[in-house]
Amino acid sequence: MADRGASALSLPDDWPDHPDPILALNRMGSFDWDLDTGAMQMDAQAHEIFDVRPDEYDDRPETLGKRVPPGEARRLDTAVSQALKDGSENYGAYFRVRCRDGSLRWTHTQGYIRRDETGRPRRIIGIVRDATQELSDSEARREQTVREDARRRQTNVVQLTTAALAHARTVRDVIDALKDTHGLTHLGATSLVMGLVEAGRIRLIAEGPEGSFVPGTEITRIDEPYPMSEAVRTLSPRFIESPEEFAEHYPQLWQGILGLNITSAAYLPLIVQARPIGGMGLLYSDRRGFSAEERNILVALGSSIAQSLQRAMFYEQEMDLAQGLQQAMLPRTIPSVPGADVAVRYRAAAIGGPVGRDIGGDWYDLIPLPGGRVGAVIGDVQGHDTHAAAVMGQLRIVLRAYAAEGHPPATVMARASVFLHELDTDRSATCLYAEADLSTGVLQMVRAGHIEPLVRRTDGSCRRVHVPGGLPLGLSAEFGQLDYPVGTMELDPGDTLLLCTDGLVEQPGADLDDGMEALSTLIAGGPGDVRELADRLIDVAEERGGDDDVALLLLRRRALDSSRPGGRLQQHVAPGDPEALSQARRMIRTAVGAWGAGDRVDEVELVADEMITNALMHTEGAAVVTLRALTGSERLLRVEVEDSSSALPRRREAGESGVSGRGLLLVEMLADVWGVEARGGGKCVWCEFVVKEPGPV
């Protein structure tokens, strides 16, 4: 052996000061392998183990090649090389040595790798010993390898199954994880059956392969003579090791599965906190009997499955409760609205596959208002849990109450924001509230952080409607920004308004504008009927999946009754065009007479003329005059004049000449009611006249 002090590299801490006598007593040889020079020195006992004389060995490992068969040498080299590469401090390996008489004997080596300060391996010091007694022959070694491989495969299946069950949220997820290609079938099982304990009975939830269902076993009593019932009743696994044992103990069940070629089975109770919640059966068709190790693995796996199954059952109970709460918070029915066709839909978010549903805070509502008006609401409370659903229900009720009290849209939204801010919650909510006068088609909309609405025109085109927005509900109150701007537009007869939550728009990898464009295209090519269109949009959301819920409200203004002589007339009057002004006057006089209001034709014409003239004199651009016949509790004529200026009209004193300054005074004296509305970047001055005489409108 080489001088131990000749190298600066340290020896193992437990290496004895004088190893040779100790090693000899234990029939162990030692070696010292210098990896830089390649020289490997061995002591006399090592020579004896390799069956070489001192004069036959030249300190080169290659010389031992005649004693170590090629296959064994490759396996030994692999073990050493791997240890050198991965930074190990030692290695161990079994290999066979061919003796002089040609016989093979098992040998074991243990090497300690010494590295320098850079981590480079420089030296291996180790021992070799005769392992014949430990491994009597190669067959024993192979059997041990086979057992280790089988144990490794079974352990791997347990690990894979446990990992898959960690992601299971529903009972269906648990069953799918077990039936998956990485599930229990890797243990060699032909099929899986599973049942849940319910009120003293066992209900099957997994029935094995197609054609394996035995009539009368879907729901069984725990005291019936079935192996799963026995496992649940005794809280102990039931291993059936042969077809004969199966037929003898469970003849009724055996007759039902006779054609499946079952040779053995393992039925496991699923126990949680000392209480059985179900049972599971594994059926095999290519084996008989179970070793003690296999039984232990299956019992351990059954315990893991029971825990996952109980979590899934608790989750489904919570989801049932939450979804029931959410459905209770949404409107149970949508009121019919005269002059409009309405469709609403709600789709819960998908979880754990197409069957599972998650809870969310999306909602819709339709609120009948005085004067033939209607309020349409769409909103989304932050979060996907029971708390989100509870906040949603309270917010829906509050919005409905504020709107029904007659507050304007901006006030409704501001008060709802204050309510949410004062509520005991950290959630915010986006919302869009649209108030529609279906007799005129005028829409007033307020948006609190929500996506903008869409409108499909009668020609099939669909566009996004720009509505000025404020902060989400709750946040606007927190930051003192409660002045919500109001957007106004007109919904013509046959037009459809669409309000939705972002679950219908947002798609993975696409921004909001792309989603809105795709939705506009889908609506433009969709059915004309609002109910069919709503179904189509929800079907698309179902196909796409996604982890967000969807609320949808469609409102289509019905076309005017064709039996009426008219309902709405409009005329554009350009500045400096006296002919257009004359045409507008004639249109008004003719229409008012045709609508049965001849007694007020002069008043209507005079007021309209003043309003048009005021728009042309004090603004730039054209004026648009609209005349409407309104029906309801009383018959009205409504005159509207729109212009592009946002400056509001104001009453002024008449000049000395008495020519100007009387416009608004005349409007106020002659009309029954008048007002001003914002319209995009401009405004609309309007007035209404009560028509007392009966007549067709």
Side-chain angles (χ1 to χ4, degrees), residues 212-232:
S212 65
F213 174 67
V214 178
T217 61
E218 182 176 3
I219 298 177
T220 58
R221 298 191 313 274
I222 293 180
D223 60 356
E224 290 192 63
Y226 292 110
M228 185 179 294
S229 300
E230 181 179 332
V232 171

Side-chain angles (χ1 to χ4, degrees), residues 151 174 219 266 354 447 449 454 489 639 671 674:
R151 187 184 305 111
V174 172
I219 298 177
R447 188 168 64 90
L454 297 171
M489 66 164 290
V639 179
W674 73 282

Side-chain angles (χ1 to χ4, degrees), residues 575-599:
D577 185 356
E579 181 59 29
L581 184 57
S582 298
Q583 290 178 357
R585 290 170 179 154
R586 287 196 297 271
M587 176 195 74
I588 293 170
R589 177 169 287 275
T590 302
V592 171
W595 290 342
D599 62 324

Side-chain angles (χ1 to χ4, degrees), residues 117-393:
E117 61 276 3
T118 67
R120 177 184 175 188
R122 305 294 297 276
R123 182 180 176 192
I124 299 178
I125 298 173
I127 60 172
V128 291
R129 62 182 176 84
D130 187 345
T132 303
Q133 279 189 315
E134 182 180 346
L135 302 173
S136 59
D137 52 35
S138 60
E139 184 63 28
R141 180 58 182 168
R142 283 194 295 270
E143 289 178 359
Q144 180 179 349
T145 302
V146 170
R147 288 195 299 271
E148 289 177 352
D149 290 343
R151 187 184 305 111
R152 191 179 302 110
R153 287 194 300 270
Q154 292 170 346
T155 302
N156 187 49
V157 170
V158 172
Q159 292 173 342
L160 289 172
T161 303
T162 302
L165 290 173
H167 301 284
R169 302 175 72 177
T170 66
V171 172
R172 184 74 257 172
D173 291 342
V174 172
I175 296 172
D176 290 343
L178 297 179
K179 287 188 172 182
D180 186 73
T181 54
H182 296 300
L184 295 182
T185 53
H186 277 194
L187 285 175
T190 300
S191 63
L192 164 77
V193 293
M194 183 180 290
L196 294 179
V197 175
E198 297 177 352
R201 299 176 182 270
I202 299 176
R203 177 176 62 86
L204 285 185
I205 57 174
E207 301 171 355
E210 185 177 355
S212 65
F213 174 67
V214 178
T217 61
E218 182 176 3
I219 298 177
T220 58
R221 298 191 313 274
I222 293 180
D223 60 356
E224 290 192 63
Y226 292 110
M228 185 179 294
S229 300
E230 181 179 332
V232 171
R233 185 173 63 253
T234 63
L235 302 182
S236 301
R238 178 67 172 96
F239 294 99
I240 304 172
E241 301 194 284
S242 67
E244 294 77 16
E245 182 182 356
F246 210 136
E248 178 184 354
H249 290 87
Y250 310 103
Q252 184 177 352
L253 181 59
W254 177 251
Q255 289 300 319
I257 62 174
L258 195 58
L260 299 180
N261 193 31
I262 301 301
T263 59
S264 60
Y267 286 88
L268 308 172
L270 301 178
I271 303 171
V272 177
Q273 297 178 346
R275 182 179 64 87
I277 63 170
M280 180 183 70
L282 293 172
L283 306 180
Y284 300 85
S285 60
D286 58 354
R287 62 175 298 167
R288 289 175 178 240
F290 299 89
S291 67
E293 188 173 69
E294 290 169 338
R295 294 185 181 212
N296 290 336
I297 289 176
L298 289 174
V299 170
L301 194 58
S303 177
S304 176
I305 293 170
Q307 297 291 335
S308 298
L309 190 61
Q310 187 182 54
R311 285 197 305 270
M313 293 166 65
F314 283 157
Y315 178 80
E316 289 187 350
Q317 291 171 5
E318 181 182 353
M319 285 300 100
D320 288 343
L321 175 63
Q323 289 176 1
L325 171 64
Q326 184 174 47
Q327 292 299 324
M329 293 300 182
L330 289 172
R332 301 183 67 179
T333 59
I334 291 296
S336 60
V337 179
D341 297 319
V342 179
V344 294
R345 297 290 185 272
Y346 174 79
R347 171 194 173 274
I351 54 115
V355 178
R357 294 293 179 197
D358 206 350
I359 188 73
D362 289 18
W363 89 94
Y364 57 78
D365 204 356
L366 197 69
I367 310 167
L369 300 173
R373 295 173 297 119
V374 64
V377 184
I378 201 82
D380 183 0
V381 175
Q382 176 188 11
H384 289 84
D385 51 26
T386 307
H387 185 58
V391 172
M392 174 269 286

